[in-house]
Amino acid sequence: MKNSYQQGGIPISPLLSGMPNKSANSSENNLSKKRLLRISALSIIVAVAISLIAKFLITLINIVTNISFFGSLSAAYHSPAGNHLGLWVIIVPAIGGVLVGLMALYGSKAIRGHGIPEAMEQILTNQSKIKPSITLLKPISSAIAIGTGGPFGAEGPIIATGGALGSTLGQLFKITSNERKIILAAGATAGMSAIFGTPIAAVFLAIELLLFEFSPRSILPVALACITGAAGHRLLFEAGPVFPMPNLETPSNAALAIYSGIGLIIGFLSLGVTKIVYFIEDVFEKLPIHWMWWPAIGGLAVGTIGYFAPHTLGVGYDNIINVLSGSVAILIVLRLFFFKFLSWAIALGSGTSGGTLAPLLTIGGAGGSLLGAIIIYAFPNAGINVPMSALIGMSAMFAGASRAYLTSITFALESTGQFHALLPLLGACTASYLVSFFLMENTIMTEKIARRGVSTPDSFEPDVLGKLSVREIVNTNGISLNPEVTMREIRELLKSENNKACYFIVADQHGNYVGTANLADINNHDIDPGLILKEILQTAKLSVKIEDNLRKAVELMAEGGVEALPVTAENKVIGVLSYKDIINAYKFYHDENDRVNRHISLKRERLKVLVRSRGLFKSVQKLK
């Protein structure tokens, strides 16, 4: 009988031409870096454009506001609370709702809502493809809705517009869906940075709500876009904090505990806010009229509330500044807390176009201010103050409602410049996040798309396949087969050795790699027993290096349409890696990861033992 097996252990042999080598890997790395530079350049271009659009949006909101409430054509900022329309103020938001409904009906239904859930949905279900028309329709519809008194912020629409612009640019170039996702996130967060001048918070927003990953290829373009957006904010708006407030001092430990308790209470309030918003949305869904008219109905409610509480109308960034100052009368803060929430919840539930961040900040800030005032009244020596209570209230509200934990903390710091508030913010947002995590299945950002059957990632975890290397699951004491032996000889030999391996390296008499053999093909009785082995080989000229990770192996298997790859070290074949090995490694890693008391080195050692014990590779003696 010919040598069916080569030397026990994979033969040390030169790679075939076409196998990866050091120069090929270097070229691949250079190509990857060039693509990263390209995506970064596109992200910066989107950021420049969205900064200009942000300025355009704010200007357009001011123009619509002045026309609607003051009858003047001016781009200067005037709060709609200063109007003298009397009862006519009730009609103005309704007219805006009609216009938004018509734009949604004849333009795109995607302009409805506050922007971030829609962007998340396109990322998760549609390869980050957003209709280019949204780039134009979203800011115009939002300017109409907000300018006619809608109780929204400009940040949601600009985030949606930036995402649409990034997606559109990504569709014009030949890039992958993941790269398009990165440009979409870059455009969206650059818009937030351009409005508020908060680039770090914008980067965290991308990670927590849009990218669902953390890697150089995603963070670098987004960070560059957010820096560009912040520069645009300084150039087109102002250089100081967007929400100036009195200087805060570092609190005592007792005060820190009280602030954390305020955050806990705000966390429960965030649950109620989210549930009521979607309850109102469900009510609108049951109305026996076309959805185009819903924003008009919501507008009537906004106008009615605005008649009794004028400060609920419009963007209301001045409301946030006033609440953070700590100088507003308690009764006014209470009215703002209740009526702003009611107006915003009805308007958002009606499906009009607007954002959630500014209303959440207003409601949370007012809630924190009220709680702080109550505690100070009951315990004058508690060591807390109203401005700090308002700041942690607005941050904790956003953390609980959206579960954008890091975004909430860094946004509060950047938008106010009060870095002494770091510890209270950390305690309050952590408490609010815990309440939200344990008691609410979905957030205000994900509930809408969850109802459509879209599942969003609920945790940020490392890429397991990227962490595990080929070296950790490959046994170099594998076997190789002679390509010249017949199927009959191979079957008899495998039967006598009781070999359980699924794939085998096939090498010629000089040790050169010829291909991989599949056990299922070898045992296929429809194949002539006299057929020699090399006639049934998988001969894709792909290999994976022993130092590569399993993600690289999966990508190569998908590229070549193969179920196994030869493993190389120092340009020589030393083993074989199959998709079953990767699946077992992945499953084992997650099973072990649930056992919190095990050390990572023990995990990997057991992983190697498990893979070998399952017969994925079996060492045999040389047979004649």
Side-chain angles (χ1 to χ4, degrees), residues 201-408:
V203 171
F204 281 128
L205 180 75
I207 295 171
E208 294 184 303
L209 296 182
L210 297 174
L211 289 173
F212 310 114
E213 66 169 286
F214 187 93
S215 64
R217 65 178 180 178
S218 61
I219 294 304
L220 289 177
V222 169
L224 290 170
C226 291
I227 293 169
T228 304
H233 174 82
R234 288 173 173 266
L235 177 65
L236 300 172
F237 296 98
E238 55 188 15
V242 70
F243 300 135
M245 63 180 296
N247 290 328
L248 302 174
E249 296 180 355
T250 303
S252 65
N253 289 340
L256 182 60
I258 294 174
Y259 289 134
S260 299
I262 292 176
L264 187 70
I265 297 172
I266 294 294
F268 283 102
L269 288 177
S270 72
L271 300 186
V273 165
T274 302
K275 291 184 180 298
I276 292 174
V277 164
Y278 284 100
F279 170 76
I280 293 174
E281 185 175 289
D282 290 338
V283 171
F284 273 98
E285 291 283 350
K286 297 175 182 177
L287 292 178
I289 58 175
H290 195 276
W291 58 261
M292 187 207 81
W293 298 105
W294 297 353
I297 297 173
L300 284 174
V302 169
T304 303
I305 295 170
Y307 174 74
F308 295 99
H311 287 285
T312 62
L313 297 170
V315 173
Y317 293 151
D318 54 338
N319 293 329
I320 298 174
I321 296 173
N322 291 335
V323 169
L324 291 175
S325 71
S327 60
V328 182
I330 293 297
L331 183 59
I332 296 177
V333 175
L334 181 61
R335 284 166 56 87
L336 182 63
F337 172 79
F338 178 75
F339 287 113
K340 184 70 173 184
F341 165 66
L342 187 61
S343 176
W344 166 71
I346 294 174
L348 190 64
S350 71
T352 193
S353 181
T356 59
L357 181 53
L360 286 173
L361 297 180
T362 303
I363 298 164
S369 179
L370 291 170
L371 289 171
I374 293 171
I375 293 172
I376 292 172
Y377 179 79
F379 306 99
N381 298 321
I384 67 171
N385 59 71
V386 172
M388 180 74 85
S389 300
L391 179 61
I392 66 170
M394 78 176 200
S395 185
M397 177 62 74
F398 186 59
S402 68
R403 288 212 283 268
Y405 174 68
L406 297 176
T407 304
S408 303

Side-chain angles (χ1 to χ4, degrees), residues 34-95:
K34 287 180 179 179
R35 292 191 69 85
L36 177 57
L37 289 175
R38 183 188 183 196
I39 299 303
S40 298
L42 291 175
S43 298
I44 292 174
I45 293 172
V46 171
V48 171
I50 205 61
S51 297
L52 297 174
I53 294 174
K55 180 64 176 179
F56 167 76
L57 175 61
I58 297 298
T59 301
L60 189 58
I61 290 174
N62 291 341
I63 291 173
V64 176
T65 299
N66 289 324
I67 292 174
S68 302
F69 292 96
F70 303 102
S72 63
L73 183 61
S74 171
Y77 170 73
H78 293 97
S79 172
N83 75 86
H84 300 286
L85 296 178
L87 285 172
W88 289 106
V89 75
I90 298 174
I91 304 299
V92 175
I95 294 174

Side-chain angles (χ1 to χ4, degrees), residues 109-130:
K109 193 176 180 179
I111 66 172
R112 305 172 71 219
H114 52 95
I116 295 179
E118 289 74 19
M120 294 172 69
E121 183 175 20
Q122 297 308 310
I123 288 172
L124 294 169
T125 65
N126 195 32
Q127 297 183 328
S128 303
K129 293 180 180 179
I130 299 178

Side-chain angles (χ1 to χ4, degrees), residues 459 461-465 467-468 582-596 603 607:
S459 61
E461 297 179 347
D463 180 3
V464 175
L465 297 183
K467 290 183 63 177
L468 296 176
I582 297 174
I583 292 174
N584 286 332
Y586 184 86
K587 182 179 183 301
F588 181 79
Y589 180 91
H590 277 287
D591 289 346
E592 286 294 282
N593 211 33
D594 291 336
R595 304 179 186 183
V596 296
K603 292 179 185 179
L607 173 60

